[in-house]
Amino acid sequence: MRHPIVLLIALAVFAILPVYVTDSYTRHLFILAFVYAVIASNWDLSLGYAGLFNFGHLTFFAVGVYTSAVAAKTWGIDPWIAIPMGGVTAAITALIVSLPVARLKGIYVVLVTFGFSQLVLQLILSQSQITGGASGMVRIPGLEIGDYRFIRDFKFGYYYVALGLLVISTIYLLLLSNSHFGKSLLAVRDNEGYAQARGISVARQRVLALVASAIFPGIAGGFFAIYLRVAAPEVLSFSTLSLALSMVLIGGTATIVGPIVAALVLTFATEAMAGIRGMEEARFIVVAIGMILILRFAPGGLARIWGRRT
């Protein structure tokens, strides 16, 4: 929260943007960027602040996607209620996976979380009577307010719902990271022995960090399913995982704002590269190379470079 005026100016720009940007496709890209920004910034709470090298954060997003899809389409629940339900199930999922992770370190955390994401993927594929299997679910009900249907306004309403979700998520993360809880996570990350000597339970803080960081990705997943009206297993693909992780590492860990900026830039950059012949799949290689270069020459990410110059 070092530059609140910059954040307020950025919010004002994004708030008035759809008034002047009437193109439906550009609004769509901004909506995707906002969703990615929620995932990346919340991933930063567990990876950057708590030092948990979990590779399963996209699982919480996928759980939100399918929770919302099943609730709205199969059970007939109002989509406005189905979206936050994704956050509840994602938090429960995070609690389940955090129990074995809480007392593990390093590569073992990576293996358990990555294995858990593959388990969720296999459940989605095998339970086709509920999830649609490899074909996924389509024609999920969209958002409505009275007679106003969001699907007919050139993504104007969805833009503001996505922006509102990002703003609430960012305020939540900034408050959390600057609280005693956030500082205790830094203590656990930097020196477990010192943290324990000060009465901080390392295992408990790791569980809380993973659960706290799963809520908004789950809600974002719920919104994603309602917005696109589709739930497909591609949300757990390796390309999506590597793109979201690169947003955290390129933007800067333990900064919150850095992954948000990186999500906005990389979403538009990868989409621009997709329009170049031969770059449809190679764009993810370009992003991976960029991530390696950042880790080599600026391990703290671009936000740290910006912070040193201001």
Side-chain angles (χ1 to χ4, degrees):
M1 216 180 296
R2 295 176 59 187
H3 306 286
I5 296 177
V6 175
L7 293 178
L8 289 174
I9 292 173
L11 176 59
V13 170
F14 285 127
I16 63 172
L17 200 62
V19 177
Y20 299 99
V21 178
T22 56
D23 175 53
S24 178
Y25 180 65
T26 305
R27 288 177 179 174
H28 168 69
L29 291 183
F30 272 107
I31 293 169
L32 292 184
F34 294 155
V35 170
Y36 270 120
V38 171
I39 299 170
S41 56
N42 279 274
W43 198 339
D44 187 31
L45 182 67
S46 66
L47 194 153
Y49 280 85
L52 277 170
F53 293 99
N54 84 84
F55 269 55
H57 221 77
L58 213 56
T59 310
F60 309 136
F61 175 72
V63 168
V65 167
Y66 276 93
T67 298
S68 179
V70 171
K73 182 173 183 178
T74 308
W75 298 341
I77 294 175
D78 189 314
W80 286 106
I81 300 174
I83 291 174
M85 285 176 66
V88 175
T89 53
I92 295 171
T93 305
L95 179 62
I96 294 170
V97 73
S98 67
L99 295 177
V101 163
R103 299 186 185 281
L104 296 177
K105 293 182 180 179
I107 187 66
Y108 298 104
V109 177
V110 175
L111 291 174
V112 170
T113 52
F114 185 74
F116 187 76
S117 71
Q118 294 306 299
L119 172 64
V120 171
L121 176 61
Q122 292 305 315
L123 284 173
I124 290 171
L125 294 174
S126 62
Q127 302 302 311
S128 57
Q129 71 280 12
I130 301 173
T131 63
S135 301
M137 301 175 69
V138 296
R139 299 180 66 82
I140 298 167
L143 291 179
E144 297 178 7
I145 297 179
D147 295 331
Y148 183 79
R149 300 185 66 184
F150 282 46
I151 196 172
R152 294 178 177 171
D153 65 359
F154 302 98
K155 305 185 187 305
F156 188 80
Y158 279 119
Y159 178 96
Y160 283 107
V161 175
L163 178 60
L165 178 60
L166 175 60
V167 170
I168 295 171
S169 168
T170 304
I171 293 172
Y172 162 78
L173 289 171
L174 290 175
L175 291 175
L176 212 59
S177 60
N178 286 284
S179 67
H180 290 298
F181 173 68
K183 290 177 173 57
S184 72
L185 294 183
L186 292 176
V188 169
R189 181 197 67 183
D190 294 337
N191 192 327
E192 288 185 19
Y194 174 77
Q196 288 174 327
R198 297 297 300 269
I200 299 172
S201 169
V202 173
R204 184 192 63 204
Q205 297 307 88
R206 285 177 172 171
V207 170
L208 292 176
L210 208 56
V211 172
S213 65
I215 296 171
F216 275 95
I219 297 174
F223 167 76
F224 189 76
I226 297 297
Y227 165 60
L228 292 180
R229 304 185 66 199
V230 171
E234 280 73 20
V235 292
L236 282 168
S237 68
F238 189 75
S239 59
T240 308
L241 170 68
S242 60
L243 181 61
L245 182 59
S246 67
M247 291 169 179
V248 182
L249 299 178
I250 291 176
T253 55
T255 62
I256 301 299
V257 176
I260 294 174
V261 175
L264 293 168
V265 173
L266 288 178
T267 300
F268 280 88
T270 53
E271 197 61 28
M273 285 189 281
I276 302 173
R277 179 177 294 181
M279 290 294 291
E280 292 86 355
E281 297 299 327
R283 56 184 167 153
F284 296 110
I285 299 175
V286 174
V287 173
I289 293 173
M291 182 174 64
I292 292 169
L293 291 175
I294 289 293
L295 290 175
R296 171 63 181 82
F297 296 105
L302 297 179
R304 299 290 182 191
I305 298 175
W306 169 260
R308 285 199 294 267
R309 291 181 177 178
T310 56

